[in-house]
């Protein structure tokens, strides 16, 4: 009877926002209007552009940067990695394809990277071998020295490195990679610097997290989710890309049935066509619920809420450390707390089984919904 509904007052599972009343109203109004956000001369694309401009400013990107609202960070990462592949491989990969590359195209990320990035790299034709998983340190952040060695070794073997993915808030522990160090490597090696900030990028709004995200503003692209920590109803992801022309050049294709008229040419006019910046031509009006939510609360209030969540996680950690038979199993990152019940005298396999059974009992009883 207790399904995966984020409105449960103790829904603490995975990383999902609860949704908001204003966001739900925005969805209702958007569905009532029912516009197609592929392009055309109407108000909805301008609302999306406004939202993207706000997010670019949040991320510290220049005014000329651009982006796209997506279903979530999976599609946001895919979009960014497509642009990265097309712009850092040294040849016209969009026309010639990956088979014409001078060597295996290669991307680098930590072992804690979200699986959607591997799926994106496989879909882009690079195969799972095209993603190099770099070891992490004791805080579950990418090992910078190991990253540098791997890039050097791969170049010597004829591979073609083109991108490093930093994670701003890993899915398991909330770890944040050293983005300034990664940015330095990418500048020196002429690689695309992408940040998977699905969880943590919006924490740039929080005073007690902002310093940990230093260097994110140096990225070439950032993927983030608004339906996580900003609680916009599903679906609401976003990608922002520093080089707008590189973004457009990776996706724009204008057949005769999508020809644009002059600015005064009726419905098929206007220069802003979001179909030029992603895979989809048909796109729903996601921007309205985001616009309305930000207008209702203001970004400063979101920042205070995020900061409070981080403080709550630290408080929970202190309670765990002072409670018999509970123990932390990883450093606390952002608002993710990894802990378990340990009565003593059991090996890891037995402890895993015990904690899984406790978790299922909590979930099935409707008491609370932590995750495993």
């Amino acid at each position: 009877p207790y399904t995966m509904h984020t409105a449960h007052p103790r829904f603490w599972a995975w990383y999902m926002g609860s949704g908001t009343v204003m966001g739900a109203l925005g969805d209702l109004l958007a569905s009532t209007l029912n516009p197609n956000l592929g392009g055309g001369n109407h108000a909805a694309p301008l609302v999306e552009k406004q939202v993207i401009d706000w997010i670019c400013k949040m991320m510290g990107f220049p005014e000329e940067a651009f982006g796209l609202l997506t279903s979530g960070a999976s599609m946001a990462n895919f979009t960014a990695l497509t642009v990265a592949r097309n712009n850092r491989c040294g040849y016209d990969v969009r026309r010639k394809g990956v088979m014409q590359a001078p060597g295996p195209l290669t991307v680098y990320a930590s072992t804690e990277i979200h699986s959607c990035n591997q799926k994106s790299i496989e879909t882009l034709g690079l195969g799972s071998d095209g993603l190099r998983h770099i070891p992490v340190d004791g805080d579950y952040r990418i090992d910078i020295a190991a990253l540098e060695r791997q890039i050097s070794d791969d170049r010597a073997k004829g591979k073609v490195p083109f991108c490093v993915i930093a994670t701003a808030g890993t899915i398991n522990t909330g770890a944040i990679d050293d983005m300034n160090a990664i940015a330095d490597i990418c500048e020196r090696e002429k690689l695309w610097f992408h940040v998977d900030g699905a969880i943590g990028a919006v924490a740039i709004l929080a005073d007690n997290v902002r310093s940990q995200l230093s260097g994110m503003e140096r990225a070439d692209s950032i993927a983030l989710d608004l339906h996580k920590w900003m609680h916009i109803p599903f679906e609401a992801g976003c990608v922002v890309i520093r080089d707008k022309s590189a973004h457009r050049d990776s996706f724009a294709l204008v057949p005769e049935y999508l020809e644009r008229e002059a600015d005064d040419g009726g419905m098929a006019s206007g220069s802003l066509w979001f179909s030029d910046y992603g895979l989809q031509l048909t796109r729903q009006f996601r921007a309205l619920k985001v616009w309305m939510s930000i207008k209702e609360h203001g970004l400063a209030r979101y920042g205070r809420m995020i900061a409070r969540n981080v403080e709550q996680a630290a408080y929970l950690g202190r309670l765990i450390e002072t409670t018999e038979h509970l123990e932390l199993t990883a450093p606390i990152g952002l608002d993710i707390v990894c802990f378990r019940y340990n009565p003593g005298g059991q090996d890891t396999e037995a402890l895993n089984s015990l904690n899984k059974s406790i978790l299922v009992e909590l979930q099935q009883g409707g008491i609370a919904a932590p995750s495993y």
Side-chain angles (χ1 to χ4, degrees), residues 311-326:
E311 292 166 359
Q312 289 166 335
Y315 173 62
L316 175 58
R318 292 193 295 271
L319 291 179
I320 291 166
E321 289 178 321
T322 57
T323 301
E324 188 179 11
H325 303 320
L326 293 183

Side-chain angles (χ1 to χ4, degrees), residues 81-135:
L81 291 171
T82 302
V83 182
R85 183 200 63 177
N86 292 1
N87 284 272
R88 287 293 191 276
C89 292
Y91 75 106
D92 187 355
V93 66
R94 186 173 180 187
R95 183 170 64 87
K96 295 182 179 180
V98 296
M99 296 297 290
Q100 297 297 315
L105 304 178
T106 310
V107 180
Y108 302 83
S110 84
T111 53
E112 294 293 295
I113 196 72
H114 194 280
S115 60
C116 71
N117 290 282
Q118 178 172 325
K119 291 168 72 173
S120 295
I121 289 163
E122 292 171 354
T123 303
L124 288 169
L126 313 187
S128 57
D129 288 347
L131 176 61
R132 288 295 205 186
H133 288 97
I134 307 300

Side-chain angles (χ1 to χ4, degrees), residues 19-26 54 230-233 288-302 304:
T20 62
V21 173
M22 188 60 71
L25 177 60
W54 285 342
M230 289 182 70
H231 298 282
I232 306 297
L288 186 58
K289 59 189 173 186
V290 182
W291 188 93
M292 291 175 69
S293 296
I294 291 175
K295 281 291 187 179
E296 177 191 18
H297 299 295
L299 294 178
R301 187 175 180 186
Y302 276 113
R304 293 194 300 272

Side-chain angles (χ1 to χ4, degrees), residues 50-214:
Q50 177 69 82
V51 168
I52 289 168
D53 287 347
W54 285 342
I55 295 171
C56 285
K57 187 175 181 180
M58 282 169 53
M59 296 298 112
F61 271 27
E63 288 185 6
E64 60 270 18
F66 201 60
L68 190 73
L69 293 183
T70 63
S71 56
S74 294
M75 186 53 68
N77 281 309
F78 174 81
T79 302
L81 291 171
T82 302
V83 182
R85 183 200 63 177
N86 292 1
N87 284 272
R88 287 293 191 276
C89 292
Y91 75 106
D92 187 355
V93 66
R94 186 173 180 187
R95 183 170 64 87
K96 295 182 179 180
V98 296
M99 296 297 290
Q100 297 297 315
L105 304 178
T106 310
V107 180
Y108 302 83
S110 84
T111 53
E112 294 293 295
I113 196 72
H114 194 280
S115 60
C116 71
N117 290 282
Q118 178 172 325
K119 291 168 72 173
S120 295
I121 289 163
E122 292 171 354
T123 303
L124 288 169
L126 313 187
S128 57
D129 288 347
L131 176 61
R132 288 295 205 186
H133 288 97
I134 307 300
V136 293
D137 61 19
D139 290 329
Y140 296 93
R141 306 192 310 168
I142 193 169
D143 185 323
I144 297 298
L147 171 63
E148 292 181 296
R149 287 194 301 270
Q150 190 66 66
I151 292 171
S152 178
D153 290 348
D154 284 348
R155 286 198 192 279
K157 294 175 182 177
K159 295 182 182 295
V160 182
F162 72 89
C163 178
V164 179
I165 305 171
T167 303
T170 58
I171 195 70
N172 285 322
T173 67
I176 299 172
D177 288 332
D178 185 342
M179 288 184 280
N180 274 311
I182 294 172
D184 290 342
I185 293 171
C186 288
E187 286 180 8
R188 185 172 66 248
E189 298 288 340
K190 296 181 171 53
L191 306 178
W192 186 277
F193 174 26
H194 174 59
V195 174
D196 181 355
I199 289 175
V202 297
I204 197 74
L205 299 171
D207 292 339
N208 57 353
V209 179
R210 190 173 299 117
S211 63
Q212 298 178 56
L213 296 168
S214 175

